[in-house]
Amino acid sequence: MANLGGGEAKNRQVIFRDFVSGFPQESDFIVSSSSIRLKLPEASNGVLLKTLYLSCDPFMRFLMESRPPSTSYSPGSLLFGFGVARVLESALSNFKEGDLLWGMLKWEEYSVVEEPEKLFKIQHTDVPLSYYTGILGMPGITAYFGFHEICSPKKGEYVFVSAASGAVGQLVGQLAKLMGCYVVGSAGSREKIELLKNKFGFDEVFNYKEERDLNAALKRCFPEGIDVYFENVGGKTLDAVLLNMRPHGRIAVCGMISQYNLGQSEGVHNLLRLMTQRVRMEGFRAPDYFHRYAEFLEAMLPYIREGKITYVEDTVHGLESGPAALIGLFSGRNVGKQVVAISTE
């Protein structure tokens, strides 16, 4: 496609107002507009991008607090997260006009990125581009390597996935079924429960909000115990899981969304079970596996093309819809992977 000849364009942006305590609110973000010249600055060695999709992910909550030495958003600066964009102009020979990229982007309609080498070039466009915010992006990498590498699953094992209808959980459950495992998922609404059972093929599901006793719920679903737990929630769910782990079980710690907005994290009381049941519990992050992206695509693309894995997205339109979509993650408002469509050209 041709670039826009260096003319001026309106550039909507989402600005982070200030550090957040407790649950984030829409008022913690400012949607503003500025103008941008659609041409790279003369001294630039980067690329000019048009944003197509932005991803809402739970890890973004961590960036809303001052946690030295960890990275955080700066008050008054642009929000950033994973997204998909098209190159309008490039100063580099390995990126050209029209290329599609995914990676860490600012929350604005147009951006100049000075280090595009950190972005992934999209080579496969026979699948929806929005998939690169989810099943073929960071959440997909998280699910694939977290399950296969950290959990070391075997056919016939008993697998439990919390937050099972989310961007990562829905994939872990389906990967486990493809391996021949017995899979149970938990979620927080009847709509999500129906999705897990009827679309993603989980063997059993339960609504954690309707269970008085999580330990009893897990014993009902896993009378012989749990071999693999893919941890997305933390808190009371983790405590109940620990009481139901089988000897030599594995727990992959992907996230603990129930704890992100608490001033004081809940304690976990049943950690002794890690010793008595010889359970291995290990945390990990998607960037640990970014260098294996080609291997990931080789495995995941055929699953998508052959219909062996399905993926559900919850899409809102327009940058101004982004803040509400982002904070909705923490009340379970989204059903599936939360995506903000900026431009669907």
Side-chain angles (χ1 to χ4, degrees):
M1 60 170 280
N3 71 35
L4 302 181
E8 294 275 324
K10 180 180 174 183
N11 190 27
R12 282 179 298 178
Q13 303 171 312
V14 176
I15 295 168
F16 179 61
R17 189 186 294 274
D18 205 350
F19 293 124
V20 172
S21 175
F23 278 84
Q25 310 290 328
E26 283 189 65
S27 58
D28 293 316
F29 310 94
I30 303 165
V31 180
S32 68
S33 287
S34 63
S35 62
I36 183 171
R37 187 179 178 216
L38 294 179
K39 182 146 188 74
L40 280 173
E42 283 188 19
S44 174
N45 286 313
V47 291
L48 173 66
L49 302 178
K50 179 173 184 175
T51 307
L52 304 181
Y53 296 95
L54 291 170
S55 177
C56 297
D57 295 297
F59 80 87
M60 297 169 74
R61 177 61 185 84
F62 284 117
L63 306 182
M64 297 178 197
E65 295 181 17
S66 179
R67 294 174 182 252
S70 300
T71 301
S72 62
Y73 297 129
S74 299
S77 68
L78 288 175
L79 214 61
F80 57 83
F82 288 98
V84 175
R86 185 187 301 277
V87 177
L88 296 183
E89 187 182 2
S90 174
L92 301 169
S93 59
N94 53 334
F95 293 95
K96 65 181 187 299
E97 183 184 321
D99 280 350
L100 294 162
L101 310 174
W102 77 266
M104 198 64 76
L105 303 175
K106 293 175 182 176
W107 274 42
E108 57 182 349
E109 292 177 304
Y110 299 94
S111 292
V112 173
V113 176
E114 293 295 349
E115 294 182 317
E117 296 84 1
K118 294 181 179 179
L119 302 175
F120 293 87
K121 195 177 289 189
I122 294 173
Q123 309 284 4
H124 305 277
T125 56
D126 59 322
V127 296
L129 286 178
S130 59
Y131 275 18
Y132 290 91
T133 69
I135 186 172
L136 293 177
M138 183 274 292
I141 294 168
T142 302
Y144 182 82
F145 289 108
F147 182 63
H148 286 292
E149 298 282 321
I150 306 296
C151 296
S152 304
K154 303 177 189 67
K155 182 178 180 180
E157 287 194 315
Y158 301 108
V159 176
F160 177 50
V161 185
S162 56
S165 68
V168 174
Q170 59 175 289
L171 294 174
V172 174
Q174 292 178 85
L175 289 169
K177 287 302 298 175
L178 286 168
M179 276 213 65
C181 298
Y182 172 84
V183 186
V184 176
S186 64
S189 75
R190 292 183 182 179
E191 182 182 5
K192 293 176 181 179
I193 291 299
E194 288 297 314
L195 201 63
L196 295 176
K197 190 81 171 173
N198 299 325
K199 196 167 186 74
F200 301 142
F202 282 63
D203 294 291
E204 286 293 337
V205 294
F206 66 86
N207 185 339
Y208 69 89
K209 293 179 181 177
E210 295 178 353
E211 300 288 344
R212 285 186 167 186
D213 185 338
L214 290 175
N215 181 29
L218 290 171
K219 283 188 173 3
R220 183 179 73 238
C221 294
F222 294 101
E224 297 183 41
I226 300 168
D227 292 298
V228 169
Y229 173 42
F230 201 93
E231 164 69 303
N232 291 310
V233 171
K236 294 179 176 62
T237 300
L238 175 58
D239 243 350
V241 167
L242 287 168
L243 294 175
N244 289 276
M245 292 299 294
R246 286 160 61 92
H248 305 289
R250 286 84 65 205
I251 299 174
V253 183
C254 169
M256 294 189 176
I257 198 168
S258 72
Q259 307 299 296
Y260 294 170
N261 299 298
L262 302 180
Q264 180 81 33
S265 296
E266 293 174 326
V268 179
H269 305 282
N270 297 317
L271 288 173
L272 186 61
R273 298 285 290 198
L274 296 178
M275 181 191 74
T276 60
Q277 296 294 86
R278 295 85 161 169
V279 172
R280 176 168 56 82
M281 184 172 174
E282 183 177 348
F284 71 101
R285 297 176 64 237
D288 299 343
Y289 298 97
F290 279 179
H291 66 289
R292 294 172 64 180
Y293 187 59
E295 172 190 342
F296 162 76
L297 284 181
E298 192 175 331
M300 193 63 77
L301 279 167
Y303 286 150
I304 297 170
R305 290 167 176 156
E306 295 165 20
K308 291 181 177 178
I309 283 185
T310 186
Y311 200 60
V312 171
E313 297 175 319
D314 189 333
T315 304
V316 300
H317 295 270
L319 196 63
E320 66 281 357
S321 303
L326 176 58
I327 65 174
L329 293 177
F330 306 106
S331 59
R333 191 187 308 161
N334 59 302
V335 179
K337 167 70 190 132
Q338 186 67 71
V339 181
V340 184
I342 308 302
S343 174
T344 54
E345 62 174 41

PDB file of all heavy atoms in Angstrom, residues 160-161 184 186 206 211 213-226 229 236-244:
ATOM      1  N   PHE A 160      -5.985 -29.615  35.324  1.00  0.00           N
ATOM      2  CA  PHE A 160      -6.916 -28.566  35.748  1.00  0.00           C
ATOM      3  C   PHE A 160      -6.398 -27.217  35.280  1.00  0.00           C
ATOM      4  O   PHE A 160      -5.210 -26.907  35.425  1.00  0.00           O
ATOM      5  CB  PHE A 160      -7.077 -28.558  37.265  1.00  0.00           C
ATOM      6  CG  PHE A 160      -7.968 -27.449  37.779  1.00  0.00           C
ATOM      7  CD1 PHE A 160      -9.227 -27.235  37.230  1.00  0.00           C
ATOM      8  CD2 PHE A 160      -7.540 -26.614  38.806  1.00  0.00           C
ATOM      9  CE1 PHE A 160     -10.047 -26.216  37.690  1.00  0.00           C
ATOM     10  CE2 PHE A 160      -8.355 -25.595  39.280  1.00  0.00           C
ATOM     11  CZ  PHE A 160      -9.617 -25.396  38.717  1.00  0.00           C
ATOM     12  N   VAL A 161      -7.294 -26.400  34.685  1.00  0.00           N
ATOM     13  CA  VAL A 161      -6.959 -25.064  34.194  1.00  0.00           C
ATOM     14  C   VAL A 161      -7.902 -24.061  34.848  1.00  0.00           C
ATOM     15  O   VAL A 161      -9.128 -24.179  34.702  1.00  0.00           O
ATOM     16  CB  VAL A 161      -7.110 -24.965  32.656  1.00  0.00           C
ATOM     17  CG1 VAL A 161      -6.626 -23.603  32.160  1.00  0.00           C
ATOM     18  CG2 VAL A 161      -6.362 -26.098  31.956  1.00  0.00           C
ATOM     19  N   VAL A 184     -10.254 -30.426  33.105  1.00  0.00           N
ATOM     20  CA  VAL A 184     -11.304 -29.702  33.818  1.00  0.00           C
ATOM     21  C   VAL A 184     -10.922 -28.230  33.842  1.00  0.00           C
ATOM     22  O   VAL A 184      -9.753 -27.875  34.038  1.00  0.00           O
ATOM     23  CB  VAL A 184     -11.462 -30.221  35.262  1.00  0.00           C
ATOM     24  CG1 VAL A 184     -12.499 -29.385  36.029  1.00  0.00           C
ATOM     25  CG2 VAL A 184     -11.865 -31.689  35.253  1.00  0.00           C
ATOM     26  N   SER A 186     -12.195 -24.121  35.200  1.00  0.00           N
ATOM     27  CA  SER A 186     -13.088 -23.281  36.004  1.00  0.00           C
ATOM     28  C   SER A 186     -13.182 -21.906  35.365  1.00  0.00           C
ATOM     29  O   SER A 186     -12.241 -21.427  34.725  1.00  0.00           O
ATOM     30  CB  SER A 186     -12.586 -23.160  37.443  1.00  0.00           C
ATOM     31  OG  SER A 186     -11.332 -22.491  37.490  1.00  0.00           O
ATOM     32  N   PHE A 206     -16.590 -26.095  36.051  1.00  0.00           N
ATOM     33  CA  PHE A 206     -17.410 -25.594  37.142  1.00  0.00           C
ATOM     34  C   PHE A 206     -17.242 -24.087  37.266  1.00  0.00           C
ATOM     35  O   PHE A 206     -16.207 -23.525  36.888  1.00  0.00           O
ATOM     36  CB  PHE A 206     -17.110 -26.306  38.472  1.00  0.00           C
ATOM     37  CG  PHE A 206     -15.738 -26.085  39.047  1.00  0.00           C
ATOM     38  CD1 PHE A 206     -15.453 -24.991  39.866  1.00  0.00           C
ATOM     39  CD2 PHE A 206     -14.714 -27.001  38.786  1.00  0.00           C
ATOM     40  CE1 PHE A 206     -14.196 -24.800  40.409  1.00  0.00           C
ATOM     41  CE2 PHE A 206     -13.443 -26.809  39.329  1.00  0.00           C
ATOM     42  CZ  PHE A 206     -13.185 -25.710  40.142  1.00  0.00           C
ATOM     43  N   GLU A 211     -19.530 -22.252  43.766  1.00  0.00           N
ATOM     44  CA  GLU A 211     -19.028 -23.329  44.624  1.00  0.00           C
ATOM     45  C   GLU A 211     -18.703 -22.780  46.017  1.00  0.00           C
ATOM     46  O   GLU A 211     -17.884 -21.879  46.159  1.00  0.00           O
ATOM     47  CB  GLU A 211     -17.774 -23.970  44.016  1.00  0.00           C
ATOM     48  CG  GLU A 211     -17.979 -24.600  42.650  1.00  0.00           C
ATOM     49  CD  GLU A 211     -18.797 -25.885  42.707  1.00  0.00           C
ATOM     50  OE1 GLU A 211     -18.958 -26.456  43.818  1.00  0.00           O
ATOM     51  OE2 GLU A 211     -19.252 -26.322  41.637  1.00  0.00           O
ATOM     52  N   ASP A 213     -17.321 -24.572  48.365  1.00  0.00           N
ATOM     53  CA  ASP A 213     -16.107 -25.242  48.825  1.00  0.00           C
ATOM     54  C   ASP A 213     -15.307 -25.676  47.598  1.00  0.00           C
ATOM     55  O   ASP A 213     -15.657 -26.654  46.931  1.00  0.00           O
ATOM     56  CB  ASP A 213     -16.498 -26.445  49.687  1.00  0.00           C
ATOM     57  CG  ASP A 213     -15.304 -27.143  50.308  1.00  0.00           C
ATOM     58  OD1 ASP A 213     -14.182 -26.991  49.788  1.00  0.00           O
ATOM     59  OD2 ASP A 213     -15.484 -27.869  51.302  1.00  0.00           O
ATOM     60  N   LEU A 214     -14.229 -24.942  47.273  1.00  0.00           N
ATOM     61  CA  LEU A 214     -13.429 -25.272  46.090  1.00  0.00           C
ATOM     62  C   LEU A 214     -12.735 -26.620  46.224  1.00  0.00           C
ATOM     63  O   LEU A 214     -12.576 -27.342  45.236  1.00  0.00           O
ATOM     64  CB  LEU A 214     -12.403 -24.165  45.838  1.00  0.00           C
ATOM     65  CG  LEU A 214     -12.960 -22.825  45.350  1.00  0.00           C
ATOM     66  CD1 LEU A 214     -11.851 -21.792  45.273  1.00  0.00           C
ATOM     67  CD2 LEU A 214     -13.631 -22.978  43.987  1.00  0.00           C
ATOM     68  N   ASN A 215     -12.345 -26.971  47.423  1.00  0.00           N
ATOM     69  CA  ASN A 215     -11.724 -28.274  47.646  1.00  0.00           C
ATOM     70  C   ASN A 215     -12.703 -29.390  47.290  1.00  0.00           C
ATOM     71  O   ASN A 215     -12.351 -30.352  46.588  1.00  0.00           O
ATOM     72  CB  ASN A 215     -11.291 -28.382  49.112  1.00  0.00           C
ATOM     73  CG  ASN A 215     -10.623 -29.709  49.417  1.00  0.00           C
ATOM     74  OD1 ASN A 215      -9.999 -30.325  48.557  1.00  0.00           O
ATOM     75  ND2 ASN A 215     -10.785 -30.181  50.651  1.00  0.00           N
ATOM     76  N   ALA A 216     -13.957 -29.244  47.707  1.00  0.00           N
ATOM     77  CA  ALA A 216     -14.978 -30.250  47.392  1.00  0.00           C
ATOM     78  C   ALA A 216     -15.253 -30.299  45.890  1.00  0.00           C
ATOM     79  O   ALA A 216     -15.459 -31.380  45.320  1.00  0.00           O
ATOM     80  CB  ALA A 216     -16.261 -29.947  48.160  1.00  0.00           C
ATOM     81  N   ALA A 217     -15.267 -29.127  45.248  1.00  0.00           N
ATOM     82  CA  ALA A 217     -15.494 -29.085  43.798  1.00  0.00           C
ATOM     83  C   ALA A 217     -14.399 -29.836  43.056  1.00  0.00           C
ATOM     84  O   ALA A 217     -14.665 -30.589  42.106  1.00  0.00           O
ATOM     85  CB  ALA A 217     -15.565 -27.632  43.323  1.00  0.00           C
ATOM     86  N   LEU A 218     -13.154 -29.632  43.467  1.00  0.00           N
ATOM     87  CA  LEU A 218     -12.035 -30.314  42.815  1.00  0.00           C
ATOM     88  C   LEU A 218     -12.066 -31.814  43.083  1.00  0.00           C
ATOM     89  O   LEU A 218     -11.774 -32.621  42.191  1.00  0.00           O
ATOM     90  CB  LEU A 218     -10.714 -29.705  43.278  1.00  0.00           C
ATOM     91  CG  LEU A 218     -10.444 -28.290  42.757  1.00  0.00           C
ATOM     92  CD1 LEU A 218      -9.229 -27.683  43.452  1.00  0.00           C
ATOM     93  CD2 LEU A 218     -10.235 -28.293  41.242  1.00  0.00           C
ATOM     94  N   LYS A 219     -12.440 -32.220  44.300  1.00  0.00           N
ATOM     95  CA  LYS A 219     -12.544 -33.649  44.613  1.00  0.00           C
ATOM     96  C   LYS A 219     -13.654 -34.302  43.779  1.00  0.00           C
ATOM     97  O   LYS A 219     -13.533 -35.467  43.372  1.00  0.00           O
ATOM     98  CB  LYS A 219     -12.799 -33.845  46.108  1.00  0.00           C
ATOM     99  CG  LYS A 219     -11.548 -33.655  46.959  1.00  0.00           C
ATOM    100  CD  LYS A 219     -11.786 -34.033  48.385  1.00  0.00           C
ATOM    101  CE  LYS A 219     -10.555 -34.023  49.271  1.00  0.00           C
ATOM    102  NZ  LYS A 219      -9.302 -33.599  48.725  1.00  0.00           N
ATOM    103  N   ARG A 220     -14.713 -33.554  43.521  1.00  0.00           N
ATOM    104  CA  ARG A 220     -15.804 -34.060  42.684  1.00  0.00           C
ATOM    105  C   ARG A 220     -15.326 -34.282  41.239  1.00  0.00           C
ATOM    106  O   ARG A 220     -15.646 -35.284  40.612  1.00  0.00           O
ATOM    107  CB  ARG A 220     -16.957 -33.056  42.712  1.00  0.00           C
ATOM    108  CG  ARG A 220     -18.193 -33.484  41.931  1.00  0.00           C
ATOM    109  CD  ARG A 220     -19.295 -32.432  42.044  1.00  0.00           C
ATOM    110  NE  ARG A 220     -19.015 -31.233  41.261  1.00  0.00           N
ATOM    111  CZ  ARG A 220     -18.942 -30.008  41.758  1.00  0.00           C
ATOM    112  NH1 ARG A 220     -19.104 -29.794  43.066  1.00  0.00           N
ATOM    113  NH2 ARG A 220     -18.695 -28.977  40.975  1.00  0.00           N
ATOM    114  N   CYS A 221     -14.546 -33.331  40.723  1.00  0.00           N
ATOM    115  CA  CYS A 221     -14.063 -33.417  39.338  1.00  0.00           C
ATOM    116  C   CYS A 221     -12.852 -34.329  39.193  1.00  0.00           C
ATOM    117  O   CYS A 221     -12.633 -34.912  38.115  1.00  0.00           O
ATOM    118  CB  CYS A 221     -13.709 -32.023  38.830  1.00  0.00           C
ATOM    119  SG  CYS A 221     -15.114 -30.906  38.679  1.00  0.00           S
ATOM    120  N   PHE A 222     -12.065 -34.428  40.247  1.00  0.00           N
ATOM    121  CA  PHE A 222     -10.822 -35.217  40.218  1.00  0.00           C
ATOM    122  C   PHE A 222     -10.787 -36.182  41.408  1.00  0.00           C
ATOM    123  O   PHE A 222     -10.006 -35.990  42.352  1.00  0.00           O
ATOM    124  CB  PHE A 222      -9.597 -34.298  40.302  1.00  0.00           C
ATOM    125  CG  PHE A 222      -9.384 -33.382  39.136  1.00  0.00           C
ATOM    126  CD1 PHE A 222      -9.744 -32.037  39.224  1.00  0.00           C
ATOM    127  CD2 PHE A 222      -8.819 -33.842  37.962  1.00  0.00           C
ATOM    128  CE1 PHE A 222      -9.530 -31.168  38.166  1.00  0.00           C
ATOM    129  CE2 PHE A 222      -8.595 -32.982  36.893  1.00  0.00           C
ATOM    130  CZ  PHE A 222      -8.959 -31.646  36.994  1.00  0.00           C
ATOM    131  N   PRO A 223     -11.617 -37.213  41.387  1.00  0.00           N
ATOM    132  CA  PRO A 223     -11.613 -38.139  42.524  1.00  0.00           C
ATOM    133  C   PRO A 223     -10.262 -38.810  42.752  1.00  0.00           C
ATOM    134  O   PRO A 223      -9.947 -39.221  43.873  1.00  0.00           O
ATOM    135  CB  PRO A 223     -12.696 -39.162  42.161  1.00  0.00           C
ATOM    136  CG  PRO A 223     -12.937 -39.009  40.696  1.00  0.00           C
ATOM    137  CD  PRO A 223     -12.616 -37.579  40.374  1.00  0.00           C
ATOM    138  N   GLU A 224      -9.443 -38.886  41.704  1.00  0.00           N
ATOM    139  CA  GLU A 224      -8.112 -39.501  41.848  1.00  0.00           C
ATOM    140  C   GLU A 224      -6.994 -38.455  41.926  1.00  0.00           C
ATOM    141  O   GLU A 224      -5.813 -38.814  41.924  1.00  0.00           O
ATOM    142  CB  GLU A 224      -7.861 -40.458  40.679  1.00  0.00           C
ATOM    143  CG  GLU A 224      -8.833 -41.631  40.649  1.00  0.00           C
ATOM    144  CD  GLU A 224      -8.524 -42.602  39.526  1.00  0.00           C
ATOM    145  OE1 GLU A 224      -7.327 -42.883  39.303  1.00  0.00           O
ATOM    146  OE2 GLU A 224      -9.466 -43.058  38.872  1.00  0.00           O
ATOM    147  N   GLY A 225      -7.357 -37.170  41.978  1.00  0.00           N
ATOM    148  CA  GLY A 225      -6.359 -36.118  42.119  1.00  0.00           C
ATOM    149  C   GLY A 225      -5.937 -35.497  40.796  1.00  0.00           C
ATOM    150  O   GLY A 225      -6.359 -35.926  39.715  1.00  0.00           O
ATOM    151  N   ILE A 226      -5.082 -34.481  40.894  1.00  0.00           N
ATOM    152  CA  ILE A 226      -4.656 -33.661  39.751  1.00  0.00           C
ATOM    153  C   ILE A 226      -3.175 -33.914  39.464  1.00  0.00           C
ATOM    154  O   ILE A 226      -2.340 -33.841  40.371  1.00  0.00           O
ATOM    155  CB  ILE A 226      -4.873 -32.162  40.063  1.00  0.00           C
ATOM    156  CG1 ILE A 226      -6.354 -31.875  40.335  1.00  0.00           C
ATOM    157  CG2 ILE A 226      -4.343 -31.278  38.934  1.00  0.00           C
ATOM    158  CD1 ILE A 226      -6.612 -30.493  40.933  1.00  0.00           C
ATOM    159  N   TYR A 229      -1.581 -28.730  37.018  1.00  0.00           N
ATOM    160  CA  TYR A 229      -2.411 -27.542  37.241  1.00  0.00           C
ATOM    161  C   TYR A 229      -1.778 -26.368  36.512  1.00  0.00           C
ATOM    162  O   TYR A 229      -0.620 -26.028  36.759  1.00  0.00           O
ATOM    163  CB  TYR A 229      -2.536 -27.222  38.728  1.00  0.00           C
ATOM    164  CG  TYR A 229      -3.248 -25.918  39.019  1.00  0.00           C
ATOM    165  CD1 TYR A 229      -4.399 -25.551  38.318  1.00  0.00           C
ATOM    166  CD2 TYR A 229      -2.767 -25.040  39.994  1.00  0.00           C
ATOM    167  CE1 TYR A 229      -5.043 -24.348  38.573  1.00  0.00           C
ATOM    168  CE2 TYR A 229      -3.417 -23.854  40.262  1.00  0.00           C
ATOM    169  CZ  TYR A 229      -4.546 -23.508  39.548  1.00  0.00           C
ATOM    170  OH  TYR A 229      -5.189 -22.311  39.796  1.00  0.00           O
ATOM    171  N   LYS A 236      -7.354 -18.568  46.884  1.00  0.00           N
ATOM    172  CA  LYS A 236      -8.106 -19.717  47.395  1.00  0.00           C
ATOM    173  C   LYS A 236      -8.095 -20.891  46.416  1.00  0.00           C
ATOM    174  O   LYS A 236      -8.124 -22.054  46.833  1.00  0.00           O
ATOM    175  CB  LYS A 236      -9.547 -19.302  47.702  1.00  0.00           C
ATOM    176  CG  LYS A 236      -9.680 -18.304  48.840  1.00  0.00           C
ATOM    177  CD  LYS A 236     -11.130 -17.928  49.080  1.00  0.00           C
ATOM    178  CE  LYS A 236     -11.292 -17.007  50.287  1.00  0.00           C
ATOM    179  NZ  LYS A 236     -10.602 -15.726  50.118  1.00  0.00           N
ATOM    180  N   THR A 237      -8.061 -20.594  45.108  1.00  0.00           N
ATOM    181  CA  THR A 237      -8.025 -21.675  44.118  1.00  0.00           C
ATOM    182  C   THR A 237      -6.730 -22.467  44.240  1.00  0.00           C
ATOM    183  O   THR A 237      -6.737 -23.700  44.262  1.00  0.00           O
ATOM    184  CB  THR A 237      -8.189 -21.113  42.693  1.00  0.00           C
ATOM    185  OG1 THR A 237      -9.443 -20.443  42.591  1.00  0.00           O
ATOM    186  CG2 THR A 237      -8.131 -22.230  41.659  1.00  0.00           C
ATOM    187  N   LEU A 238      -5.607 -21.780  44.327  1.00  0.00           N
ATOM    188  CA  LEU A 238      -4.323 -22.465  44.479  1.00  0.00           C
ATOM    189  C   LEU A 238      -4.303 -23.289  45.758  1.00  0.00           C
ATOM    190  O   LEU A 238      -3.840 -24.438  45.765  1.00  0.00           O
ATOM    191  CB  LEU A 238      -3.178 -21.449  44.479  1.00  0.00           C
ATOM    192  CG  LEU A 238      -1.778 -22.003  44.759  1.00  0.00           C
ATOM    193  CD1 LEU A 238      -1.394 -23.083  43.752  1.00  0.00           C
ATOM    194  CD2 LEU A 238      -0.746 -20.874  44.755  1.00  0.00           C
ATOM    195  N   ASP A 239      -4.813 -22.740  46.853  1.00  0.00           N
ATOM    196  CA  ASP A 239      -4.837 -23.466  48.119  1.00  0.00           C
ATOM    197  C   ASP A 239      -5.622 -24.766  48.003  1.00  0.00           C
ATOM    198  O   ASP A 239      -5.205 -25.814  48.511  1.00  0.00           O
ATOM    199  CB  ASP A 239      -5.450 -22.584  49.215  1.00  0.00           C
ATOM    200  CG  ASP A 239      -4.453 -22.275  50.320  1.00  0.00           C
ATOM    201  OD1 ASP A 239      -3.369 -22.885  50.326  1.00  0.00           O
ATOM    202  OD2 ASP A 239      -4.760 -21.432  51.172  1.00  0.00           O
ATOM    203  N   ALA A 240      -6.775 -24.702  47.315  1.00  0.00           N
ATOM    204  CA  ALA A 240      -7.592 -25.906  47.146  1.00  0.00           C
ATOM    205  C   ALA A 240      -6.908 -26.910  46.238  1.00  0.00           C
ATOM    206  O   ALA A 240      -6.958 -28.127  46.478  1.00  0.00           O
ATOM    207  CB  ALA A 240      -8.960 -25.526  46.596  1.00  0.00           C
ATOM    208  N   VAL A 241      -6.254 -26.427  45.172  1.00  0.00           N
ATOM    209  CA  VAL A 241      -5.550 -27.328  44.253  1.00  0.00           C
ATOM    210  C   VAL A 241      -4.456 -28.089  44.983  1.00  0.00           C
ATOM    211  O   VAL A 241      -4.276 -29.310  44.786  1.00  0.00           O
ATOM    212  CB  VAL A 241      -4.958 -26.536  43.067  1.00  0.00           C
ATOM    213  CG1 VAL A 241      -3.965 -27.397  42.286  1.00  0.00           C
ATOM    214  CG2 VAL A 241      -6.061 -26.048  42.142  1.00  0.00           C
ATOM    215  N   LEU A 242      -3.705 -27.411  45.834  1.00  0.00           N
ATOM    216  CA  LEU A 242      -2.594 -28.060  46.536  1.00  0.00           C
ATOM    217  C   LEU A 242      -3.068 -29.274  47.335  1.00  0.00           C
ATOM    218  O   LEU A 242      -2.337 -30.266  47.465  1.00  0.00           O
ATOM    219  CB  LEU A 242      -1.896 -27.058  47.458  1.00  0.00           C
ATOM    220  CG  LEU A 242      -1.043 -25.998  46.740  1.00  0.00           C
ATOM    221  CD1 LEU A 242      -0.642 -24.884  47.698  1.00  0.00           C
ATOM    222  CD2 LEU A 242       0.197 -26.633  46.115  1.00  0.00           C
ATOM    223  N   LEU A 243      -4.292 -29.224  47.857  1.00  0.00           N
ATOM    224  CA  LEU A 243      -4.834 -30.352  48.620  1.00  0.00           C
ATOM    225  C   LEU A 243      -5.198 -31.536  47.736  1.00  0.00           C
ATOM    226  O   LEU A 243      -5.436 -32.638  48.238  1.00  0.00           O
ATOM    227  CB  LEU A 243      -6.080 -29.910  49.398  1.00  0.00           C
ATOM    228  CG  LEU A 243      -5.855 -28.890  50.517  1.00  0.00           C
ATOM    229  CD1 LEU A 243      -7.204 -28.462  51.096  1.00  0.00           C
ATOM    230  CD2 LEU A 243      -4.953 -29.478  51.605  1.00  0.00           C
ATOM    231  N   ASN A 244      -5.230 -31.308  46.407  1.00  0.00           N
ATOM    232  CA  ASN A 244      -5.690 -32.343  45.484  1.00  0.00           C
ATOM    233  C   ASN A 244      -4.633 -32.793  44.481  1.00  0.00           C
ATOM    234  O   ASN A 244      -4.945 -33.548  43.554  1.00  0.00           O
ATOM    235  CB  ASN A 244      -6.922 -31.834  44.724  1.00  0.00           C
ATOM    236  CG  ASN A 244      -8.140 -31.734  45.612  1.00  0.00           C
ATOM    237  OD1 ASN A 244      -8.847 -32.723  45.815  1.00  0.00           O
ATOM    238  ND2 ASN A 244      -8.388 -30.569  46.176  1.00  0.00           N
TER     239      ASN A 244
END
